[in-house]
Every structure is written in C-alpha cells, then in structure tokens.
Amino acid sequence: MQFKELKLNKPIVRALFEKNYEEPTLVQERAIPAILAKKDIIVSAQTGTGKTAAYALPILQLLFDKQDTPKKGKKTKALVVCPTRELAIQIAENFEAYSTYTNLRTGLVFGGASIEPQKDMLKKGVDILIATPGRLLDLHKQDFINLDYIETLVLDEADLMLDMGFIDDVKKIERLCPSEKQTLLFSATMPYKVEQLANSILRDPEFVEVAPTSSAAKGVNQVLYYVPKPKKIELSLHLLRNTIKGSVIIFRRTKYGVDKLEKTLLRNNYKAGSIHGDKSQSLRQQALNDFKNGVTNILIATDVAARGIDIKNVDTIINFDIPNVSETYVHRIGRTARAGASGMALSFCSADEKGYIKDIQQLINTAIYVEEEHPYPLDPKTKPEVHKKKGSKYKKGRKSEASKKKKKRWY
Ligand code: AMP
C-alpha cells in the first residue's frame, strides 16, 4: 500500500517523503482509515511498529482542512496523553516532523520541568497538545488549557498509565473533554483493566491488533544466562569485554540498581549514561541524547523511564533483572531489532527469578536459548571440572588469572 492511497494531503506526504517513509506500516494501514472515518479505536501494537504516526498522520489530516489562523487564536483540537516525559517529547517531535509543511502547531507539557515556558507556549495557542497527565491537570486548573474544543483524544501507552497510577487522572481528563469527541486508545498490552477503561470511555470502537505482545520482536536473538545475583555485575563486565559490541541498553528494576551499575561501568572506563525517574528532566534528556548521538554506547534504565522511547540501532539489550511482568520482557527486547534490524537480548536470571522466566517463555511461546559457557554459573556443578581435579594447575593457594584480574576491578 502507498501513503497516497490513504488520502493524506500533499504537505503531509511531502514530510513523509523527506523522512524516507516509503509505505505505511501495518498498524498505519489499519488505523489511519478508521481514524479518518472519525471512529473510536483500540490499537494493540508493539513498540517500533510505527504507532505514533498511525494516529499523528490522520489527526494532522483531519485538522489540516479546518485549521485556525494564529490571528484568531488557535483552539486545541487534539490532545495526546501519555505516561512519561520522554515519550511526550518523542511524540511531539513526530507531530512536528509530519506537520512541517502545514501551519498546524504542536505544544508539549510535562512535569519535572519549569511550568512558565509551558504557560507562555500555551498562551500563543496550539492545535495539538501532547501532555503527561499531572502537568496537564495542573495547567488546566490554572486556566492555561482549555479542553472544550478537543475533537480527538489519544491515550497512548494506556497500560503503562494504569501501571503508574494515572487511571484517575486519565478518567478526569477524559471527562474534561467534550463527550462527542473521538477517542483513540493505544496500548502495547491489553490487560483487563485497560479493556475496562476502554469499555467505559470508547463508543463502539474498532479493534486493531497488529502484533500481540506475546510475539517477541522478530529478529531478536534471545539468550539466557543463569547466574547468582551477586555475580550479575561481573557477568555484565565479562560480556561487555568479550562478547558485546555496539550499543547496549541495560534494564534494571530499581533506580538504586541503575545508579550502582552506572558507577561501576564508569569506573571501568565504559561510556555509560542512565535514565530513571529520580533524575531531573535535563539529565535524562542529556543521557538519552548522548546515547542517541554515540557519545555513550551504554544506557542503563528502569522500565518506566525507557518505555516507548524510540532509539534506533540498539545492538543489545541486557535484562539485568528479569521483569516480574512478562509483557515487560517483550517491551524491553523490542528496543533492539527495530525496523527490521537484528539484535541480541541477554537475560540474567538468578535462582529467585526462575519463575519469571517460566512465565515469559509461556507468553512468548518459545524456550529461550540457555548459554552455559560463562564464568559465573548459577549451579556450581556446571563450573569447569578443572577446578576440582587433584593435581590440576589450579592448586590450592595458587590464584587463577581470572581471580587475579578480579582483584583489580572496581565494584
Ligand atoms: P513508533 O512505533 O511510533 O515508536 O515508531 C517506530 C519508528 O518507526 C520511528 O522511528 C518512526 O519514525 C518509524 N516509522 C514510523 N512509520 C514509518 C514508516 N511508514 N516507514 C518507515 N519508518 C517509519
């Protein structure tokens, strides 16, 4: 299918041409006509499928023909609500790129950054507003945002908004918009609670399911390492030294864990940066830009901070901690092998995480390959025999090369 067939206006098609988009992705092919027909839709699509453009393009198209002139004062007619600042920035960048040759204006508001510039921007008027829930409600309360003219409401990464406790805010925002609006709900996973939310706010929605979450990203080479918890940092260093090349995102469950690993990697002269919820917006953006621009090649992140972020050419994902929610595994490994490329996903599983691996394998319906040849096996029986043999060169009191090196390392 060609973009032309989706009946998009010339200025939009021109912007797509400049971005080298040759044809619509599957989610775009299915969602764009439904959105242009003003239907409510629920889209279940994995990250990297082109879902942002799947709603951004028809929204721009719908607004294109009836845009307000800046003189008359722009009324905000489309609102996109998403859970994290990084995602909001990325969505706004997408809207701006696709609307380059139109007069449509995109605004962006998110928490954790100064509110004054956002107020100034809102005073000038925007056609499309991208927002995280808390800051949106705050600015609405202060009368800087008027939602009375919203024609299309997008809830992006709806499942994560529920996970992050935004459900009440999302419902509040929905009620502040006119009841006859069009609502588009995008969610990588469709847990029961998202379905419930959808049922309560969408009217006769059309369902678009492109790649179920259970289908792990194609082209990802998945490898499992069983390793004792205290040895995970050593295993990371071992793999970074010997196996892994190129850019790497390492996922950790906690902010503390992210900071700790970052310090260790920096002390070992790796070019690493990190993002998590306790870092200021500017530091997070800096870390992200450094990674995108190749200043660093390792990014350590918590799931919440990394969700939905579009970073091209990630060669390897490391699941330093195994996620306890199986879908999170699919999201994480979806950061690599984007847009048809291939990539590696390495998972470090300690004894207490074996149950999570079982659930993940069930969800993706695949047994992940287990790499047994590494220096830190979980089960000591699998350690190289040579350590136990009498008369072997590893005599008592004599240190192996590996253990000598170990002493010099920092962690
Ligand atoms: P998303 O799933 O929205 O995060 O998009 C993933 C990546 O695909 C982004 O880098 C988009 O710029 C890119 N993309 C979206 N639509 C297309 C398309 N039709 N052709 C090529 N790349 C696309």
Side-chain angles (χ1 to χ4, degrees):
M1 187 186 238
Q2 298 292 308
F3 275 111
K4 271 191 297 196
E5 294 169 59
L6 290 169
K7 300 191 181 73
L8 298 172
N9 277 321
K10 272 189 188 156
I12 299 175
V13 175
R14 185 176 164 199
L16 297 177
F17 179 76
E18 284 184 6
K19 278 192 79 71
N20 294 322
Y21 290 8
E22 282 168 11
E23 51 184 35
T25 64
L26 203 55
V27 65
Q28 291 160 8
E29 218 175 285
R30 301 209 180 142
I32 293 174
I35 299 172
L36 289 175
K38 301 277 323 173
K39 288 191 174 149
D40 282 5
I41 58 166
I42 301 179
V43 181
S44 166
Q46 265 180 256
T47 48
T49 53
K51 63 193 178 105
T52 315
Y55 62 79
L57 298 176
I59 286 176
L60 290 169
Q61 171 74 25
L62 288 169
L63 295 181
F64 183 78
D65 295 325
K66 41 179 184 173
Q67 39 191 319
D68 300 317
T69 59
K71 269 188 201 157
K72 280 195 205 162
K74 283 178 176 282
K75 296 185 179 83
T76 305
K77 300 209 180 88
L79 173 65
V80 181
V81 185
C82 69
T84 66
R85 317 169 232 200
E86 283 81 3
L87 190 58
I89 292 170
Q90 201 171 282
I91 295 169
E93 282 170 357
N94 272 266
F95 268 96
E96 268 157 19
Y98 305 142
S99 62
T100 308
Y101 300 107
T102 74
N103 290 323
L104 294 167
R105 204 185 283 158
T106 301
L108 171 63
V109 298
F110 50 76
S114 169
I115 202 164
E116 294 308 321
Q118 297 180 0
K119 287 180 180 170
D120 293 341
M121 173 271 298
L122 290 166
K123 274 186 220 157
K124 288 182 199 147
V126 294
D127 301 280
I128 304 133
L129 184 63
I130 322 295
T132 54
R135 180 58 60 92
L136 172 66
L137 287 173
D138 191 2
L139 283 160
H140 181 269
K141 208 167 152 193
Q142 296 185 45
D143 259 350
F144 283 91
I145 291 175
N146 182 354
L147 299 177
D148 293 349
Y149 300 96
I150 296 296
E151 293 173 4
T152 307
L153 168 67
V154 182
L155 304 177
D156 199 356
E157 300 272 357
D159 50 347
L160 189 59
M161 289 204 278
L162 295 184
D163 282 353
M164 292 174 71
F166 286 139
I167 180 72
D168 291 337
D169 284 354
V170 169
K171 284 184 180 162
K172 214 181 276 172
I173 292 164
E174 193 273 330
R175 283 195 299 267
L176 290 169
C177 298
S179 56
E180 65 279 10
K181 69 191 169 303
Q182 177 184 29
T183 307
L184 317 176
L185 188 140
F186 283 73
S187 192
T189 61
M190 277 296 157
Y192 179 60
K193 277 192 170 173
V194 173
E195 272 180 41
Q196 265 185 327
L197 173 76
N199 287 337
S200 68
I201 62 175
L202 271 68
R203 283 171 309 176
D204 192 18
E206 196 159 292
F207 289 86
V208 177
E209 185 173 342
V210 173
T213 311
S214 53
S215 68
K218 277 186 197 153
V220 184
N221 195 352
Q222 302 171 60
V223 183
L224 189 56
Y225 292 81
Y226 285 108
V227 54
K229 198 167 254 171
K231 293 287 179 199
K232 286 189 176 186
I233 288 190
E234 288 166 61
L235 180 60
S236 313
L237 291 169
H238 169 79
L239 293 173
L240 286 169
R241 259 195 303 272
N242 301 304
T243 312
I244 299 169
K245 289 187 183 68
S247 58
V248 190
I249 301 183
I250 306 180
F251 285 100
R252 293 214 63 172
R253 209 171 9 239
T254 64
K255 298 164 196 168
Y256 169 77
V258 167
D259 285 341
K260 190 174 162 203
L261 184 60
E262 184 186 16
K263 277 185 201 145
T264 305
L265 294 184
L266 291 174
R267 282 198 212 112
N268 280 271
N269 296 323
Y270 286 102
K271 291 179 186 144
S274 70
I275 50 172
H276 61 61
D278 277 356
K279 291 202 150 193
S280 71
Q281 177 55 26
S282 59
L283 282 179
R284 284 163 68 160
Q285 204 56 45
Q286 181 68 47
L288 209 55
N289 289 343
D290 284 350
F291 187 69
K292 282 185 179 177
N293 301 331
V295 177
T296 57
N297 71 319
I298 303 174
L299 184 70
I300 312 155
T302 54
D303 287 301
V304 163
R307 178 79 174 264
I309 290 171
D310 176 36
I311 302 173
K312 289 194 175 63
N313 307 324
V314 179
D315 299 299
T316 304
I317 296 298
I318 297 182
N319 292 305
F320 193 98
D321 305 301
I322 305 298
N324 54 357
V325 176
S326 303
E327 280 84 3
T328 304
Y329 175 84
V330 180
H331 289 304
R332 287 180 177 186
I333 73 166
R335 312 279 98 209
T336 183
R338 299 198 112 192
S342 65
M344 296 281 289
L346 314 180
S347 302
F348 298 172
C349 179
S350 52
D352 57 320
E353 294 171 318
K354 282 184 174 174
Y356 302 151
I357 284 292
K358 209 169 140 201
D359 293 346
I360 289 166
Q361 297 192 127
Q362 230 160 33
L363 176 77
I364 62 174
N365 205 14
T366 311
I368 305 171
Y369 169 78
V370 179
E371 179 56 85
E372 287 172 354
E373 293 293 311
H374 70 88
Y376 312 102
L378 186 57
D379 181 358
K381 272 177 259 159
T382 61
K383 265 188 186 160
E385 274 298 293
V386 72
H387 287 280
K388 292 180 200 159
K389 272 187 195 160
K390 267 188 189 165
S392 87
K393 60 177 175 171
Y394 297 100
K395 283 197 184 117
K396 224 180 158 187
R398 186 168 159 186
K399 287 201 170 80
S400 69
E401 279 309 306
S403 65
K404 273 186 213 161
K405 266 190 205 156
K406 210 171 97 183
K407 278 223 134 177
K408 279 189 229 149
R409 281 186 229 135
W410 290 79
Y411 36 74

